[in-house]
Amino acid sequence: MHLTHILKTATAVAAVLSLAGCLGSSSGPSVPTTAPSGGPTGGTTGGSTTGGGTTGGTTKSTQAAFDAKALSYNAGLVPTSRPISGAATYKGEISMLTLANPSDQTEALIGNLDMGVNFGSGVANPVTATAGNFAGKVNGQATTVKGTLSTANALANDANSVTATTTPAGTITGLAATLRGTISDPSGALSGDARMILGGNFKETGGAKLAGGHQTTITPKGGGASIASGGSFYADKN
């Protein structure tokens, strides 16, 4: 396993776990670690957030380019240290490990990520997001995954929050969001009802950038063991 994958996975997992630790010390929900009892069943949680609509565009980075950029955002950019106000939309990319190639544990699909964030105090479900247009290689074969994951499909108790935590370095702002939906790929490796839990921190002045990771559980339609995946993401404020 090469260094880029180790660092990418480490930063992604750290971002998600921070929701149950540092960021969880505020009012935001902790990230559940168990698989859902079933697939998405609808149940929009609402929310008053600007943007985060249908994932647009199909032009994506190669996996190597994505890995380099996601690593630079997650590990290289300075976290936003002052409170963020108002609302903003973000656009970026997100990876999903395929876990289907024994000879390449770094193999991942790359998708488009669109988010809307309301930084106002006391806003219910302040994050809207869609992730879709995943494409790349599954077990070495070029693959396009159908389906979109969205906060619009989230359940009532799913994580959705923006947190502001006071630290010696300033006020660090993070988010948690749950996206659900049905995805399918020709190989079946990543097919079923999916629950993706995003966790990340805002970076640079005014929250100009956003980076983090996700844990995703896929429940196959035909039954069988759940598929546990994950990855990282980055986004820029529009």
Side-chain angles (χ1 to χ4, degrees):
M1 186 180 297
H2 20 93
L3 178 62
T4 299
H5 177 62
I6 294 173
L7 291 174
K8 178 184 71 174
T9 302
T11 53
V13 171
V16 174
L17 292 181
S18 71
L19 299 171
C22 176
L23 296 179
S25 63
S26 298
S27 59
S30 61
V31 175
T33 56
T34 56
S37 57
T41 57
T44 302
T45 58
S48 49
T49 305
T50 302
T54 303
T55 300
T58 56
T59 301
K60 291 177 288 296
S61 300
T62 62
Q63 185 179 340
F66 171 88
D67 286 348
K69 193 165 185 178
L71 180 62
S72 71
Y73 274 51
N74 273 293
L77 296 182
V78 177
T80 305
S81 60
R82 293 179 178 274
I84 307 172
S85 60
T89 59
Y90 292 81
K91 184 178 290 291
E93 293 183 318
I94 185 168
S95 68
M96 185 181 296
L97 294 171
T98 70
L99 309 175
N101 191 339
S103 64
D104 183 5
Q105 297 181 49
T106 71
E107 183 181 76
L109 303 177
I110 309 301
N112 297 121
L113 177 66
D114 289 279
M115 304 185 76
V117 183
N118 191 322
F119 297 100
S121 177
V123 176
N125 303 308
V127 181
T128 59
T130 57
N133 298 320
F134 285 97
K137 292 183 178 181
V138 174
N139 201 14
Q141 300 298 313
T143 301
T144 298
V145 174
K146 296 180 179 179
T148 299
L149 306 182
S150 174
T151 52
N153 300 324
L155 305 182
N157 294 322
D158 281 344
N160 190 305
S161 65
V162 173
T163 55
T165 303
T166 301
T167 74
T171 300
I172 307 301
T173 303
L175 62 73
T178 305
L179 291 70
R180 292 181 183 260
T182 300
I183 57 176
S184 63
D185 77 88
S187 74
L190 294 172
S191 294
D193 293 326
R195 179 194 67 175
M196 172 185 285
I197 305 174
L198 295 175
N201 292 325
F202 294 89
K203 308 276 187 167
E204 304 292 292
T205 302
K209 299 181 185 300
L210 174 63
H214 70 89
Q215 296 175 338
T216 295
T217 302
I218 303 170
T219 303
K221 287 284 192 181
S226 295
I227 302 162
S229 183
S232 54
F233 70 87
Y234 70 86
D236 298 303
K237 183 187 285 187
N238 291 324

